[in-house]
Amino acid sequence: GVYFGISNSDAHRMTHSADFSEVLGRSLAMTSNRVSHLFDFRGPSFTLDSACSSSLVATHLAVRALRAGDCDLAVVGAANLILDQSVTTAFKETGFLAPDSCSRSFDAGAAGYGRSEGGGVMILKRLSKALADEDRMYAIVRGTAVNHNGATHGIVAPSQSAQENLISQAWRESGIAPSRASFVEAHGSGTRLGDEIEARALDAVFTREENQQLRVGSAKSNLGHLEAA
């Protein structure tokens, strides 16, 4: 199975003189299917766009496919390329982007995020298969969940209750109590509204004893916001 997340809305724009090869090259659907074609993969193969959660949703669907027996190995990839200045300009005008292009997750000086480019790929297997194959494993996925903010004050505005429900659902599926968590890799976009709501949602779910700490961080502070990736 190949599950690929991508969220550049301009990647599929066509010129009036586009030939067939250019049409294929610009089609988002072809991103995942080129991989399947190259490696002769026969399982599910598709590209999805759910904006900043694309890579996570791709992982969620791959885990479900592995558990259902749709495939024995899943290639989950995501990429973000900044190909059109108009997208950055629009984000800047709406106040999403930081003036210095730096993402300062959960920082008092956070004033938006910095766009960045990058990509990554994970190989997923069922744990029993990975153990039998003596693979080097970096992590075990215990539980995943996906939901939507619903009707908030704006289509890009987050919802604390929706985030609380999502986090709780994933941990219920994992079979592990949230109190056992020691670190959370957060979205941490670096926006005042988003970071505050996320922090409150985490605080509501990950209850702590008096001397028990929960470390929270986001790779965006080092890498910038790779959006789909």
Side-chain angles (χ1 to χ4, degrees):
V2 175
Y3 302 79
F4 209 95
I6 189 166
S7 73
N8 192 298
S9 59
D10 305 291
H12 64 282
R13 287 188 178 180
M14 301 295 175
T15 64
H16 292 296
S17 59
D19 57 20
F20 182 67
S21 61
E22 184 177 0
V23 170
L24 288 181
R26 291 176 177 266
S27 169
L28 298 185
M30 295 304 295
T31 307
S32 52
N33 289 300
R34 284 184 183 276
V35 177
S36 297
H37 178 77
L38 177 65
F39 291 100
D40 193 26
F41 292 157
R42 305 299 178 91
S45 180
F46 57 88
T47 306
L48 62 89
D49 177 1
S50 61
C52 302
S53 65
S54 295
S55 58
L56 295 176
V57 175
T59 303
H60 170 78
L61 295 176
V63 169
R64 290 293 193 270
L66 285 165
R67 289 177 175 173
D70 294 338
C71 56
D72 294 319
L73 180 147
V75 179
V76 182
N80 191 58
L81 298 175
I82 301 173
L83 304 177
D84 190 327
Q85 185 179 351
S86 64
V87 177
T88 301
T89 301
F91 284 0
K92 184 177 181 180
E93 291 176 350
T94 55
F96 290 163
L97 303 185
D100 59 0
S101 299
C102 292
S103 298
R104 305 182 189 280
S105 304
F106 303 105
D107 191 288
Y113 73 86
R115 301 189 76 197
S116 59
E117 296 182 313
V121 174
M122 296 190 302
I123 307 298
L124 301 182
K125 289 183 178 181
R126 287 183 289 274
L127 180 59
S128 58
K129 176 67 172 173
L131 290 171
D133 293 342
E134 298 183 346
D135 291 324
R136 179 178 179 180
M137 291 181 286
Y138 294 89
I140 298 174
V141 180
R142 299 287 187 183
T144 66
V146 173
N147 75 354
H148 191 271
N149 289 309
T152 58
H153 294 297
I155 194 168
V156 296
S159 164
Q160 181 178 331
S161 62
Q163 290 192 22
E164 289 179 24
N165 291 336
L166 178 68
I167 298 167
S168 299
Q169 181 182 347
W171 279 82
R172 281 195 302 271
E173 182 176 310
S174 75
I176 302 172
S179 59
R180 291 183 56 190
S182 59
F183 173 74
V184 173
E185 172 64 28
H187 180 48
S189 61
T191 59
R192 292 189 179 95
L193 178 64
D195 281 7
E196 179 179 353
I197 289 177
E198 185 174 15
R200 291 181 182 278
L202 294 174
D203 184 57
V205 176
F206 296 99
T207 55
R208 306 278 96 184
E209 299 294 337
E210 184 175 350
N211 297 320
Q212 190 180 17
Q213 292 184 337
L214 176 68
R215 293 174 174 83
V216 177
S218 174
K220 292 182 179 67
S221 294
N222 295 323
L223 304 176
H225 191 349
L226 274 71
E227 296 170 346

